[in-house]
């Protein structure tokens, strides 16, 4: 066990904004976002790399932010659910979740939105199988996935139409 | 859940990582993708005093064809292998890479980390065993290359010295007229497999097998090579009777434990079913038929 607390300076760009802070190495990325930056849209669900509620994009790839140390995001770019909506409009994925009743309690929703962003950035026209695979790392205990699936499909169509 | 406090060391080259490990001694652990280590640390089942982070070492993320080998850098993420056109030419490698856990975990987890961890339920070991694979390890005295079957010793034990690390994985490309398939049965995407099966068939012609490779995952302390099942197929026609016999033999080779993923008996039966399914897919692929194979969720 270390005798004194080590603090590591890191610089992370979150939703386009640069933040330079010193963190303890054991601080998880999800805690960094929530506690150090006050971005509480990213949720902690299971905390065991299972449920995906904490999903964010790190350097363009979705990760479970409860299973990444904040020091590992140094010099990196993070995108969270707070970075999705524009000034006056929702992101098409958010709009599609709203219209298709893709959320009930909404706790898991930020993670689903970020997984959907990852999926649709890689595959503009995913078939049913690809959508189910794309959201397989996220767990919802309310909707049973059918409406989430519909929302992702609708978002894909709406994003292709733009 | 916070892990216990540790000292963080960032390596910027492989040789720096090796000297850090040498200086810090056995209380240090390597941090690659972290998808197993970080959960273990959060549960405080692992509490290393020092972590050496490999993620800032450049040049270790690649999939390249060289001669008849597929060379994969140790820090290559599963998702990068899944997306690689070179890896897609060896379908069993693509089956494995595209089905490990979920996309978030595949985006972080690395091939080198997975092999070095030697988790009995890891997906890569059975796949790479049936292909013929060498692991390039780097230590203070330079590199050494070891066959995967010699690299894996026991559950969570490899031949890596405390100050050695995996640098590259060299996978032998199967000959023409070959087909392989990997199927892992899981209860849901993010969890470990209940049982998994890797099959690789080198064929004489469309029905006679020259050499079969069959390996089982998650049903023993390491991946198990099902030699008796291979013998059933070597030099024989791969018909439905041979497939049935090979599946029975593979079932006898499995040595599963009863746990929350199922009873030992259930896992044996699962192995038999997976071997049949994987053999059928491998056979069709050896004939050039495109067959999609993916991990099964119960």
């Amino acid at each position: 066990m270390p005798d004194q607390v080590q603090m590591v300076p890191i610089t992370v760009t979150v939703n386009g904004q640069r933040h330079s802070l010193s963190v303890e190495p054991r601080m998880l990325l999800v805690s960094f976002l929530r506690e150090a930056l006050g971005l509480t849209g990213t949720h902690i669900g299971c905390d065991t790399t299972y449920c995906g509620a904490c999903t964010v994009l790190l350097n363009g790839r979705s990760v479970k932010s409860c299973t990444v140390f904040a020091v590992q995001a140094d010099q990196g770019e993070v995108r969270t659910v707070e970075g999705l909506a524009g000034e006056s409009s929702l992101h098409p994925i958010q709009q599609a979740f709203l219209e298709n009743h893709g959320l009930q309690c909404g706790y898991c929703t930020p993670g689903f939105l970020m997984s959907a962003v990852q999926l649709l950035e890689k595959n503009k026209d995913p078939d049913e199988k690809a959508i189910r695979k794309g959201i397989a790392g996220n767990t919802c205990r309310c909707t049973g996935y059918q409406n989430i699936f519909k929302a992702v499909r609708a978002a894909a169509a709406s994003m292709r139409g733009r | 859940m916070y892990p216990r406090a540790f000292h963080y060391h960032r390596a910027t080259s492989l040789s720096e990582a090796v000297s850090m490990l040498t200086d810090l001694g056995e209380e240090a652990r390597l941090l690659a993708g972290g998808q197993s280590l970080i959960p273990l640390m959060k549960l405080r089942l692992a509490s290393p005093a020092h972590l050496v982070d490999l993620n800032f070492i450049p040049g270790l993320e690649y999939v390249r064809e060289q001669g008849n080998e597929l060379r994969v850098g140790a820090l290559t993420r599963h998702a990068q292998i899944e997306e690689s056109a070179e890896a897609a030419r060896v379908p069993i490698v693509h089956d494995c890479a595209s089905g490990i856990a979920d996309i978030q975990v595949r985006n972080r987890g690395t091939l080198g980390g997975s092999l070095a961890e030697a988790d009995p339920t890891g997906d890569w070991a059975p796949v790479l065993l049936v292909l013929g694979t060498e692991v390039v390890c780097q230590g203070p005295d330079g590199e050494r290359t070891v066959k995967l079957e010699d690299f894996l010793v026991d559950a969570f034990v490899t031949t890596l010295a405390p100050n050695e690390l995996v640098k590259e994985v060299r996978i032998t490309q199967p000959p023409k007229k070959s087909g392989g398939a990997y199927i892992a049965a899981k209860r849901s995407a993010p969890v470990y497999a209940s049982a998994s099966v890797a099959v690789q068939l080198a064929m004489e012609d469309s029905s006679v097998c020259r050499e079969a490779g069959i390996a089982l995952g998650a049903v023993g302390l390491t991946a198990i090579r099902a030699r008796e099942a291979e013998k059933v197929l070597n030099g024989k026609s791969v018909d439905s009777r041979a497939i049935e016999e090979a599946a029975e033999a593979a079932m006898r080779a499995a040595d599963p434990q009863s746990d929350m993923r199922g009873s030992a008996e259930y896992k044996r039966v699962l192995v038999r079913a997976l071997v049949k399914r994987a053999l059928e897919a491998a056979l069709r692929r050896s004939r050039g038929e495109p067959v999609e194979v993916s991990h099964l969720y119960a």
Side-chain angles (χ1 to χ4, degrees):
Chain A
M1 187 71 71
D3 317 326
Q4 62 188 65
V5 175
Q6 181 193 12
M7 297 298 281
V8 179
I10 60 171
T11 298
V12 186
T13 302
V14 181
N15 301 327
Q17 203 180 330
R18 271 167 72 91
H19 299 272
S20 294
L21 292 171
S22 282
V23 298
E24 235 193 292
R26 62 174 165 167
M27 177 174 251
L28 298 162
L29 180 59
V30 68
S31 309
F32 175 76
L33 296 169
R34 291 177 56 84
E35 294 161 24
L37 303 186
L39 294 169
T40 53
T42 302
H43 294 165
I44 299 171
C46 67
D47 206 21
T48 63
T49 331
Y50 185 87
C51 81
C54 64
T55 300
V56 301
L57 302 190
L58 173 59
N59 299 325
R61 286 186 175 271
S62 59
V63 301
K64 293 182 175 177
S65 61
C66 77
T67 311
V68 177
F69 290 119
V71 287
Q72 297 181 279
D74 187 20
Q75 308 303 324
E77 289 204 20
V78 174
R79 197 168 174 205
T80 72
V81 69
E82 287 92 345
L84 291 186
E87 286 283 309
S88 56
S89 63
L90 293 174
H91 186 284
I93 290 170
Q94 294 172 309
Q95 190 64 35
F97 268 69
L98 178 68
E99 288 167 5
N100 292 278
H101 200 59
L103 61 158
Q104 284 187 22
C105 89
Y107 196 86
C108 69
T109 307
F112 270 102
L113 295 173
M114 300 317 290
S115 285
V117 168
Q118 163 86 119
L119 173 68
L120 298 181
E121 280 179 358
K122 294 213 176 261
N123 183 351
K124 289 192 176 4
D125 190 12
D127 60 14
E128 170 170 350
K129 210 168 164 187
I131 296 176
R132 292 191 186 279
K133 192 169 177 185
I135 60 174
N138 294 70
T139 302
C140 168
R141 295 296 186 218
C142 303
T143 79
Y145 306 101
Q146 200 55 37
N147 289 341
I148 293 172
F149 170 71
K150 276 180 2 202
V152 175
R153 199 166 46 180
S158 126
M159 287 168 75
R160 283 198 306 275
R162 287 194 306 175
Chain B
M1 281 178 299
Y2 264 49
R4 287 204 178 87
F6 58 86
H7 269 293
Y8 176 77
H9 308 263
R10 184 176 293 173
T12 53
S13 70
L14 272 178
S15 52
E16 192 188 7
V18 169
S19 40
M20 283 173 169
L21 285 179
T22 305
D23 293 345
L24 296 168
E26 294 200 6
E27 287 198 66
R29 292 282 297 271
L30 292 171
L31 176 61
Q35 300 303 286
S36 299
L37 180 59
I38 296 174
L40 284 173
M41 290 174 67
K42 288 167 70 176
L43 294 167
R44 304 203 171 189
L45 295 168
S47 297
H50 300 273
L51 276 193
V52 175
D53 188 355
L54 304 177
N55 289 276
F56 291 82
I57 300 178
L60 285 178
E61 301 190 11
Y62 56 86
V63 181
R64 287 200 278 267
E65 278 172 332
Q66 195 157 329
N68 71 333
E69 286 177 342
L70 206 56
R71 295 191 169 184
V72 187
L75 274 188
T76 311
R77 318 279 158 174
H78 308 306
Q80 290 174 307
I81 303 175
E82 176 182 8
E83 292 160 7
S84 147
E86 287 80 9
R89 286 197 273 274
V90 187
I92 189 173
V93 169
H94 184 264
D95 292 345
C96 181
S98 67
I100 293 171
D102 48 55
I103 183 62
Q104 295 98 317
V105 170
R106 291 196 295 278
N107 278 337
R108 289 300 290 172
T110 67
L111 175 58
S114 174
L115 286 180
E117 189 198 10
D119 186 320
T121 55
D123 286 295
W124 281 115
V127 169
L128 298 184
L129 278 179
V130 299
L131 288 173
T133 300
E134 290 182 333
V135 183
V136 182
C137 310
Q138 179 155 335
D141 305 323
E143 281 180 34
R144 69 184 174 104
T145 301
V146 52
K147 285 184 175 166
L148 182 61
E149 49 264 50
D150 299 325
F151 178 80
L152 300 169
V153 177
D154 205 339
F156 303 103
V157 181
T158 68
T159 57
L160 277 178
N163 57 358
E164 262 187 327
L165 47 77
V166 176
K167 178 185 181 185
E168 186 180 75
V169 177
R170 295 180 179 168
I171 304 166
T172 308
Q173 306 228 44
K176 295 246 183 307
K177 287 196 283 187
S178 295
Y182 177 68
I183 308 176
K186 307 188 281 183
R187 294 193 302 176
S188 67
V191 304
Y192 291 99
S194 307
S196 68
V197 166
V199 165
Q200 186 70 33
L201 300 175
M203 303 295 288
E204 292 282 359
D205 54 40
S206 64
S207 61
V208 177
C209 173
R210 188 157 50 79
E211 197 180 352
I214 302 177
L216 318 175
V219 290
L221 293 176
T222 60
I224 293 172
R225 194 80 191 254
R227 301 276 183 194
E228 292 300 317
E230 293 171 356
K231 274 189 211 156
V232 169
L233 301 171
N234 287 340
K236 312 263 175 56
S237 177
V238 187
D239 53 22
S240 54
R241 194 172 149 187
I243 288 176
E244 196 75 45
E245 261 183 63
E248 288 286 336
M251 183 171 78
R252 289 193 295 273
D255 184 22
Q257 297 283 316
S258 293
D259 60 20
M260 64 193 210
R261 290 188 279 268
S263 67
E265 192 48 39
Y266 164 73
K267 290 181 189 178
R268 278 191 207 100
V269 174
L270 185 57
V271 163
R272 184 173 61 189
L274 293 176
V275 168
K276 277 198 253 184
R277 203 185 279 229
L279 277 172
E280 279 156 13
L283 190 60
R284 289 177 58 199
R285 279 176 169 172
S286 74
R287 295 167 179 159
E289 286 178 52
V291 183
E292 206 179 319
V293 172
S294 63
H295 295 207
L296 295 177
Y297 305 149

